[in-house]
Amino acid sequence: AVVSTQSKQWYQRRVSSGINAEYRALRLDTGNFSWGSEAVARKTRIIDVVYNACNNELVRTKTLVKNAIVVIDAAPFRQWYEAHYALPLGRKKGAKLSDAEEAIINRKRSKKTQAKYTERQKESKVEQALLDQVMTGRLLASISSRPGQCGRSDGYVLEGKELEFYLRKIKAKRGR
């Protein structure tokens, strides 16, 4: 089944004596993506397909296949980071936070809880390329499942050398 990025649509397929069911996706708009360095996964919206190593036609038609590079919404990961570390992520220096965000970050805590957050904050380093993406509200991710076979589009957020590589590739394609 050819899977594209639109509102969800899939069909159920009968498999092996009618007991089990297999799902084939036709259109998907969300997926479960993991942030490897923070060991957290969040369900988030798939915005666009931006790169596919094998075929530009799959990018043009926004087809979701394994190892396709997609743009996902960064909000669930930013919200988790701010709740876990009690630090703002992807905000401009000196930018005002909304009242709800201010309440989450500067909430009154017990000494024990505050000590826990202080310990976490010592190890809360996010690489600059990822910070730049969070500031725009979008993250690059790779799909690691096979959406047309299993009916889901799950993957991981790109980081480090892999992120640099795909940013170069995408920039080169735009330059042509």
Side-chain angles (χ1 to χ4, degrees):
V2 175
V3 185
S4 65
T5 58
Q6 294 171 1
S7 61
K8 191 186 298 185
Q9 180 186 355
W10 44 264
Y11 66 91
Q12 186 175 350
R13 200 168 155 253
R14 193 176 74 78
V15 186
S16 70
S17 70
I19 297 168
N20 297 325
E22 186 176 89
Y23 297 96
R24 294 282 171 98
L26 298 175
R27 292 195 296 258
L28 291 171
D29 61 347
T30 59
N32 197 34
F33 291 88
S34 70
W35 186 0
S37 64
E38 295 293 336
V40 65
R42 289 288 177 263
K43 185 173 183 177
T44 184
R45 190 169 54 97
I46 299 171
I47 298 170
D48 195 10
V49 179
V50 291
Y51 182 78
N52 195 311
C54 65
N55 197 342
N56 277 336
E57 183 73 11
L58 299 177
V59 176
R60 191 181 64 76
T61 57
K62 299 184 188 307
T63 305
L64 297 174
V65 294
K66 184 174 180 173
N67 292 328
I69 305 302
V70 295
V71 175
I72 60 172
D73 185 19
F77 295 105
R78 184 179 51 77
Q79 289 167 349
W80 173 85
Y81 186 91
E82 290 176 352
H84 186 74
Y85 290 109
L87 289 173
L89 177 71
R91 312 275 185 185
K92 290 183 177 147
K93 296 283 185 196
K96 294 285 184 191
L97 300 173
S98 71
D99 292 336
E101 293 162 343
E102 192 74 38
I104 291 171
I105 292 171
N106 297 329
R107 190 173 13 170
K108 191 169 185 172
R109 298 181 177 93
S110 67
K111 287 182 183 177
K112 184 178 179 182
T113 309
Q114 188 58 45
K116 179 176 75 171
Y117 279 103
T118 307
E119 277 300 310
R120 284 181 185 170
Q121 288 172 358
K122 290 177 184 173
E123 303 155 6
S124 63
K125 298 285 183 248
V126 178
E127 64 182 77
Q128 188 58 45
L130 211 56
L131 268 177
D132 295 341
Q133 289 187 354
V134 173
M135 287 199 84
T136 64
R138 297 167 174 224
L139 293 171
L140 282 180
S142 178
I143 295 178
S144 57
S145 66
R146 297 173 66 199
Q149 305 296 314
C150 65
R152 301 166 57 135
S153 60
D154 302 334
Y156 57 94
V157 174
L158 296 178
E159 299 179 274
K161 300 273 186 198
E162 194 174 14
L163 176 59
E164 291 173 22
F165 174 79
Y166 284 114
L167 283 173
R168 263 196 327 269
K169 288 284 191 184
I170 292 166
K171 189 176 179 182
K173 275 198 172 175
R174 285 196 186 127
R176 281 188 211 159

